[in-house]
Amino acid sequence: MTDHSKLEKYEDNWQTSMGGWFPGEKVLLRGKNVFTELNQKSWMEYLLFAVTGRESEKIARLMEGMWVICTSFPDPRIWNNRVSALAGTARSTGALAAAASVAVTEATIFGLKPIKGATDFFYRLGDCIEQGQSLESVVRSELKQHRSVFGYGRPLINEDERIAPMMDFARSIGCGNGRYIKLAYEVENFFIHSRLKYRMNIAAVCAALLADEGLTPSDFYHMATLAFTAGAMPCFIDAESQPEGALFPLRVSRIHFVGDRQTRQWRN
Amino acid sequence: MSPAISETISTKIWDESAEPDNPFAAASCYCSGFDVYGDLLKNASYIDYLYLLFKLEPPNKKQSMLLEGLAIALANLGPRNHAVRAAMNAGVGGSTHASALIAAISVGAGNLGGAREVFYGVQYWEACGCEIKIWRDLIANPPQQARLDVWLPMEHTPGFDPNGVSCPTPVIQTLEHLADIGAAKHLKWLLDNRTALESAVGYPLAFSGVAAAAFYDLELQPEQAEMLFMLLRLPGAAVHALEQEKLGWRKYPFFSKGFKVTE
């Protein structure tokens, strides 16, 4: 143990190359002046630069296509959207609805965990194949260890209707022919011919497309964090504009008690 | 109910019967067999009801004292705590009160002094129990993430403060008090072996470590401990946010001179 806290040297001393606000003068992001060097960027290009430090109209456009096509279904039955819809029906605020929906989007069966996990999987798969392992053995090992492979299989429905339009969009801007997207389809082919019959879902497609553009799992995760809000917000607005409490009300008999029905008396 | 509606919520925790005039209002509510508004409301303490909600059984006297002691220790970790600071940032800007609690939960959920650390801490207890050799082995060879997760890997041993110098007095006071209650085999062992563990780790025990041991003594699952750790710290976040809201941003640190952009 030390005699002094390691924190002392950080006291009132935060040094960063990420950027900051110079009051009354300028704003810097990763060394660039926001008002004079980044002012012509689209918001998605700005976000890409903020998250990764990369300037690429193509990647920003690809990401924007993913946001539109893949992430924002305005359906209040989808769990993250339902949170916003519940906020609307309970007359909470739009920002609180969005904050809760974004947080809930960090889910296992959809959203951000599969996005990060699928990107991580494709990079590991690519490395293992380079080292001489077969695709089949890597996938089997992943299944054995985790009982799932991020990006394959889907709740409610196996086939993913987003894949075709997403791939069409990707090809229209010159993406969709890289090493990782080919691997993604090869993994799907493995699953289709296995007893699991999993189909690829959109997380695998987006992860592979972005891996082909050199984005890391964390890059994709950070870029995608807000992607789902365009689905949540209309659900909030819709519920807010309808009568209070009208969203999928639950009558008492919808509670299915599965515990011991014996009534007990509290004893202090 | 319309015959077409068949989807229900299954629960072992809660049962209700409907008011005769309104199928959407409960006439009685039962928590694990106890009449909440006819019995618990009059006869149970808040802490006992909290225990019942998580465990579905009432606590014995010592379990109740243990959870109550822990709840008092965690209720306010003070305005320097990361989660409380998060809440105060909502306060000084005039943000919604809900955002203050969301901020406190979000920041207080993490690996450093947060609920995720407590989650891992309980897992360490499950793996090591009261065996110092197993603790030393796990501290020397911590578990590795096999695949990336939204949570970053732990950068220090859970339950200990990587920025600490010696174990702070309030942490020791809490550990001594909780260990003394008598329902606390693992807290007692932690009290007896604290310095040995700290030597192996290289830095001192933290509140998160005491909480993890207490939750393990209460036989809570890691995810139950994670939830309760977030819940029990909210009172401090709430009152400090409200206080700073009144005082305003001018009386709150902005770190005007402590920020340097290196171009």
Side-chain angles (χ1 to χ4, degrees):
Chain A
M1 277 180 231
T2 58
D3 293 320
H4 300 283
S5 170
K6 284 182 267 181
L7 296 178
E8 282 181 25
K9 66 179 176 184
Y10 295 108
E11 213 175 359
D12 271 295
N13 180 26
W14 183 252
Q15 299 195 24
T16 175
S17 58
M18 190 57 89
W21 171 43
F22 297 74
E25 183 192 342
K26 63 181 177 182
V27 178
L28 291 183
L29 173 64
R30 294 183 181 272
K32 292 202 180 238
N33 188 314
V34 173
F35 303 147
T36 59
E37 293 176 275
L38 300 173
N39 52 328
Q40 294 297 321
K41 300 264 186 225
S42 71
W43 190 83
M44 195 63 73
E45 287 173 62
Y46 186 87
L47 180 65
L48 179 70
F49 182 64
V51 167
T52 68
R54 292 177 65 177
E55 293 182 81
S56 167
E57 279 183 43
K58 182 185 168 190
I59 297 174
R61 191 75 194 98
L62 178 62
M63 187 68 72
E64 200 166 46
M66 289 174 183
W67 282 41
V68 172
I69 295 166
C70 310
T71 64
S72 296
F73 295 5
D75 188 323
R77 294 172 304 171
I78 299 169
W79 305 280
N80 52 349
N81 291 345
R82 203 184 309 174
V83 172
S84 276
L86 287 166
T89 209
R91 298 298 188 258
S92 187
T93 76
L96 291 172
S101 284
V102 167
V104 169
T105 301
E106 204 163 53
T108 302
I109 60 169
F110 71 98
L112 293 171
K113 285 185 189 174
I115 278 173
K116 193 170 186 180
T119 319
D120 170 49
F121 169 67
F122 287 131
Y123 278 117
R124 284 190 287 112
L125 175 63
D127 289 348
C128 289
I129 288 172
E130 266 178 24
Q131 288 159 16
Q133 292 185 52
S134 69
L135 180 142
E136 291 75 13
S137 70
V138 178
V139 176
R140 282 207 176 92
S141 159
E142 189 85 358
L143 280 172
K144 191 175 175 188
Q145 199 172 357
H146 304 293
R147 290 191 293 180
S148 67
V149 176
F150 280 125
Y152 295 88
R154 196 182 182 200
L156 301 173
I157 182 172
N158 202 13
E159 197 156 347
D160 196 322
E161 68 284 347
R162 294 166 289 188
I163 292 175
M166 187 61 230
M167 286 304 295
D168 287 345
F169 178 83
R171 290 191 193 99
S172 76
I173 60 168
C175 301
N177 292 305
R179 174 192 183 211
Y180 289 107
I181 192 68
K182 285 174 184 161
L183 274 180
Y185 278 100
E186 286 175 34
V187 172
E188 182 182 47
N189 193 46
F190 165 84
F191 274 120
I192 289 170
H193 292 97
S194 76
R195 66 175 175 78
L196 292 167
K197 306 290 179 211
Y198 287 162
R199 300 296 299 267
M200 182 160 61
N201 67 45
I202 197 66
V205 173
C206 293
L209 288 170
L210 288 169
D212 281 326
E213 300 303 323
L215 262 68
T216 67
S218 290
D219 290 341
F220 188 13
Y221 167 77
H222 291 133
M223 288 293 293
T225 297
L226 294 176
F228 303 82
T229 47
M233 205 53 86
C235 294
F236 173 81
I237 293 164
D238 190 27
E240 189 186 43
S241 63
Q242 297 198 44
E244 288 182 288
L247 181 91
F248 297 138
L250 294 171
R251 61 177 63 214
V252 166
S253 57
R254 298 287 288 270
I255 293 177
H256 175 46
F257 182 65
V258 292
D260 187 349
R261 285 205 173 271
Q262 195 175 1
T263 303
R264 300 194 278 179
Q265 207 71 32
W266 189 266
R267 290 177 213 286
N268 283 309
Chain B
M1 192 196 304
S2 154
I5 298 174
S6 59
E7 293 178 316
T8 58
I9 294 172
S10 297
T11 173
K12 283 183 182 172
I13 301 168
W14 200 257
D15 194 16
E16 292 180 350
S17 61
E19 289 285 4
D21 62 348
N22 183 359
F24 294 93
S28 63
C29 303
Y30 285 83
C31 178
S32 191
F34 293 100
D35 183 343
V36 177
Y37 299 97
D39 182 4
L40 294 185
L41 183 62
K42 289 175 271 186
N43 298 316
S45 71
Y46 173 71
I47 283 294
D48 288 352
Y49 184 33
L50 192 61
Y51 182 98
L52 176 71
L53 281 164
F54 276 81
K55 300 286 292 180
L56 301 183
E57 288 298 327
N60 62 36
K61 189 77 186 158
K62 288 185 172 174
Q63 288 167 329
S64 178
M65 288 170 67
L66 181 52
L67 184 55
E68 173 134 338
L70 185 65
I72 291 172
L74 297 179
N76 186 16
L77 295 182
R80 295 183 307 102
N81 174 265
H82 289 135
V84 178
R85 283 175 65 178
M88 292 190 300
N89 279 286
V92 295
S95 307
T96 57
H97 299 131
S99 76
L101 294 188
I102 290 172
I105 290 175
S106 298
V107 172
N111 290 348
L112 178 63
R116 198 64 187 168
E117 177 168 23
V118 171
F119 174 91
Y120 295 128
V122 175
Q123 285 187 331
Y124 268 51
W125 279 105
E126 288 176 340
C128 303
C130 296
E131 296 290 335
I132 190 72
K133 184 182 177 311
I134 303 176
W135 273 98
R136 286 196 175 112
D137 287 347
L138 192 59
I139 288 163
N141 303 291
Q144 305 295 315
Q145 283 184 353
R147 58 180 180 180
L148 282 188
D149 189 22
V150 293
W151 294 106
L152 289 176
M154 283 298 293
E155 296 167 52
H156 64 275
T157 303
F160 295 81
D161 178 7
N163 294 314
V165 177
S166 61
C167 190
T169 306
V171 175
I172 294 175
Q173 287 172 312
T174 303
L175 176 59
E176 286 174 343
H177 172 73
L178 298 181
D180 200 38
I181 286 171
K185 174 187 167 190
H186 301 92
L187 282 160
K188 179 77 172 61
W189 185 87
L190 180 60
L191 181 66
D192 294 340
N193 291 273
R194 176 179 66 80
T195 52
L197 288 170
E198 288 175 340
S199 295
V201 171
Y203 33 85
L205 184 71
F207 268 121
S208 55
V210 178
F215 288 133
Y216 191 62
D217 272 327
L218 290 167
E219 298 178 347
L220 289 160
Q221 302 296 312
E223 58 274 16
Q224 292 176 316
E226 184 180 13
M227 283 282 199
L228 257 180
F229 191 66
M230 287 186 272
L231 204 59
L232 293 177
R233 289 174 304 157
L234 286 180
V239 295
H240 282 294
L242 289 170
E243 183 180 53
Q244 294 305 315
E245 182 185 22
K246 294 259 185 320
L247 293 170
W249 61 270
R250 287 184 180 82
K251 292 186 177 171
Y252 187 71
F254 191 69
F255 303 106
S256 297
K257 300 193 186 308
F259 182 72
K260 186 179 180 193
V261 177
T262 56
E263 294 182 40

